[in-house]
Amino acid sequence: MSETTWILLRGLTRESGHWGDFPSRLLRALRAQQPEVRLELLDLPGNGRLCEQDSPTQVSDMVEACRRELQRRGVQMPCHVLAMSLGAMVASDWASRYPKELASVVLINTSLRPFSAFFRRLRPGNYWSLLTLSLFRLSLRQREARVLAMTTRLQRQPDQVLDHWVQLQRKHPVRRRNALRQLLAAVRYRASWNRPHPPMLLLCSQGDELVDWRCSQAISRAWGAPLRLHARAGHDLPLDDGEWVARNVVDWLHAREVVGSAPMPLRA
């Protein structure tokens, strides 16, 4: 039986370590459907192990960086991709430009031009918090605590998560210049109106206080891709409820095997 590879991509200024225990949860769930599965966790340039690199200011250049890294690792295409936020923009562009390289795409809590207005893609209530992170001299723990508050809602042990995030930033500090370059890439990116060829699933949180969940709904309607909604989780859906994400991915894969690749109905 041939090996199946899933690529995981995080978002703005986040690295593979920010997935927490989600990769192990996803792997256990996928093995019921794809026994020979493995995960490849990639960092975008400027984040994680690549923190010394300059972040591209174009999403398309981030795609090329991911492709080069997979080639370096000897990963055979096609692969599946699960990505969130900025990483989901990268996955969308990848699916549009190199459709034969991706077997399927799962997008989590993302937003794309031209499907949503700016005030939905970044909720106005966060403007001051983001300016504070950029302009004021906060301690590392203060900065990460504000990010945690903006992106999660269901954390039972927030201090434990915060300790882990602070360790990640100390090990792989993200330069302010790179954070701005990643933000520029996200703002500049414009997706095609044409639906990418690889099968696609959209997952989003109605409790997302950073990106309006209706951005995912708009993509779903424009591209005819199925959408699953979580009622309470925050922007970091895999961290708030990783079991829900893993279960919905496996359910979608199973449904596609049973009924083919026909679009599934919108579910709330």
Side-chain angles (χ1 to χ4, degrees), residues 69-135:
E69 176 60 18
L70 291 175
Q71 185 177 26
R72 186 190 70 80
R73 297 185 188 186
V75 176
Q76 299 296 313
M77 296 297 189
C79 294
H80 303 264
V81 176
L82 181 145
M84 63 175 292
S85 196
L86 174 59
M89 295 184 189
V90 174
S92 299
D93 192 60
W94 198 341
S96 294
R97 296 170 58 220
Y98 303 102
K100 293 183 179 181
E101 294 185 358
L102 302 185
S104 72
V105 180
V106 178
L107 306 181
I108 302 175
N109 282 337
T110 194
S111 64
L112 300 174
R113 283 197 306 157
F115 307 123
S116 299
F118 180 79
F119 67 87
R120 292 200 189 279
R121 297 181 63 207
L122 179 61
R123 288 189 160 185
N126 293 290
Y127 295 170
W128 173 247
S129 296
L130 293 173
L131 281 173
T132 300
L133 291 175
S134 301
L135 300 178

Side-chain angles (χ1 to χ4, degrees), residues 138-162:
L138 302 175
S139 71
L140 184 56
R141 191 173 186 86
Q142 287 175 323
R143 292 173 62 86
E144 291 301 302
R146 295 200 177 200
V147 174
L148 185 67
M150 282 192 294
T151 58
T152 64
R153 294 189 66 192
L154 303 179
Q155 292 305 301
R156 296 180 179 178
Q157 298 178 310
D159 288 339
Q160 184 175 334
V161 175
L162 188 55

Side-chain angles (χ1 to χ4, degrees), residues 148-180:
L148 185 67
M150 282 192 294
T151 58
T152 64
R153 294 189 66 192
L154 303 179
Q155 292 305 301
R156 296 180 179 178
Q157 298 178 310
D159 288 339
Q160 184 175 334
V161 175
L162 188 55
D163 289 342
H164 177 57
W165 284 13
V166 170
Q167 291 175 2
L168 291 174
Q169 289 294 338
R170 285 176 176 160
K171 185 177 181 180
H172 300 136
V174 178
R175 290 178 288 174
R176 182 175 299 180
R177 178 173 180 267
N178 273 339
L180 293 174

